[in-house]
Amino acid sequence: MMLRIFNAKIWTGERFIDGGEMWTEDGKIRYIGEVSPLILLPWDREINANGNLIMPSFKNAHAHSPMVFLRSQADDMALQDWLFKQVFPREAKLTPDDCYWLTRLAVLEYLSSGISVAGDMYFHLDAIAGACVDSGFRNVITEGVTEGNLQGLEKTLQHGIDKLEGKGGLINYRLGLHAEYTNSQESIRALAAFAKEHRMPVYTHLCETKNEVEGCVQRLGKTPAVYLAEQGVFDFGGGAYHFVHSTDDDIKVLKERGVSVISCPASNLKLASGIAPLKKYLDCGLNVALGTDGPASNNCLDMFREMFLATGLQKATLSDPTAIDGEETLRMATSRGAAAMLLDGLDSIEFGKRADFIMIDLHQPNMQPINNVLKNMVFAGNKSNVLMTVVNGVIRYEKGEYNVGEDADKIYSKCQSITDRIMERI
């Protein structure tokens, strides 16, 4: 598809262009800059942006997309009750087909929020990947190794590399450990050995709650971060989901190994897990990205809310209104997210890079008058400002309409039927 967008404000992620234009072809950016002498090309479409903002799409670096079926079903509960009475028993009933349709529903929400890629850790990964490819959406599919899937682990991981990596040009496969507390030393070492053999990063839930950290210290005499690092889990980098309750030693081992922190502030608040010290992480040189976590613990898949909470909570807890700058927060949701997921060519929108971007409606009350557009995105923006989401050069969402290969109402109906069956309403 050849696309031309003109008369736009453009933030590439690195520079700001006022009154610029962009050309895309075959999923890549072929021109971006000031208005150029028009070269007549066989455009599939030309779009007048009317002074609206073009910017890199959001990168949701941690999610559990199929968990949309638990949205507002498992609320206002203590964490252990939430997990063992609501989540685990009902997840056990999910089929691959369920995960396919539930993921397709999550994709609609991602697109309307300006998100072009999610980092999913779940199960039935082939179904999740298929749903994303069929929707034209990117996903970094991450294995969630637990003690329960130790048997045949190497075969499972090799399948991910052989069958999921690069699928449709939209899927990346990553190794993942669900958490230290859901694994034995045997399964942790097995994953670490596989990661070493294939020189691959590993992603995991890490230091999410006080109970997790205290339990690990009681059992092993060290924190989960230090223990996993000693086992070789992070020898080739990776990501630490949540990372709320950390020590200076934890920060040190993650920085030494190039592990990114992927913070999920809304989920951590809803489950009362705590507030991660993001400013400290940034000051220490860690890459910090943002994720929504799953729609059972958030409950929405909205990067605007994550951005506001990420910066606002740091300001409040540190009693410092300068704690994290708004533009830095925007980078956490865009370029830093791409870096955390190791996605080449998606950190910014420049010549030769992948054509994942969004158009933001500046002609709405919350965006007027125009002073600092980028900071206003963080402090006043919301998903109603998303006019368009482009993934791999294809417009997948525009002004409330979806281009995902399936009717939205059919997706809603299928997901309601799945939810009713699991909740035993039918």
Side-chain angles (χ1 to χ4, degrees), residues 118-155:
D120 260 318
M121 176 181 279
Y122 213 58
F123 41 88
H124 300 315
L125 299 186
D126 291 87
I128 293 173
C132 291
V133 171
D134 290 348
S135 301
F137 184 77
R138 294 192 194 277
N139 204 312
V140 177
I141 299 287
T142 308
E143 202 75 51
V145 172
T146 66
E147 182 64 21
N149 57 14
L150 178 58
Q151 187 174 6
L153 176 61
E154 185 168 349
K155 183 178 179 181

Side-chain angles (χ1 to χ4, degrees), residues 214-247:
E214 291 171 355
C216 188
V217 171
Q218 289 173 2
R219 285 182 285 106
L220 302 170
K222 56 195 70 175
T223 64
V226 170
Y227 172 66
L228 293 180
E230 289 179 353
Q231 300 303 310
V233 169
F234 300 128
D235 283 1
F236 295 92
Y241 303 140
H242 301 284
F243 203 56
V244 176
H245 301 280
S246 59
T247 67

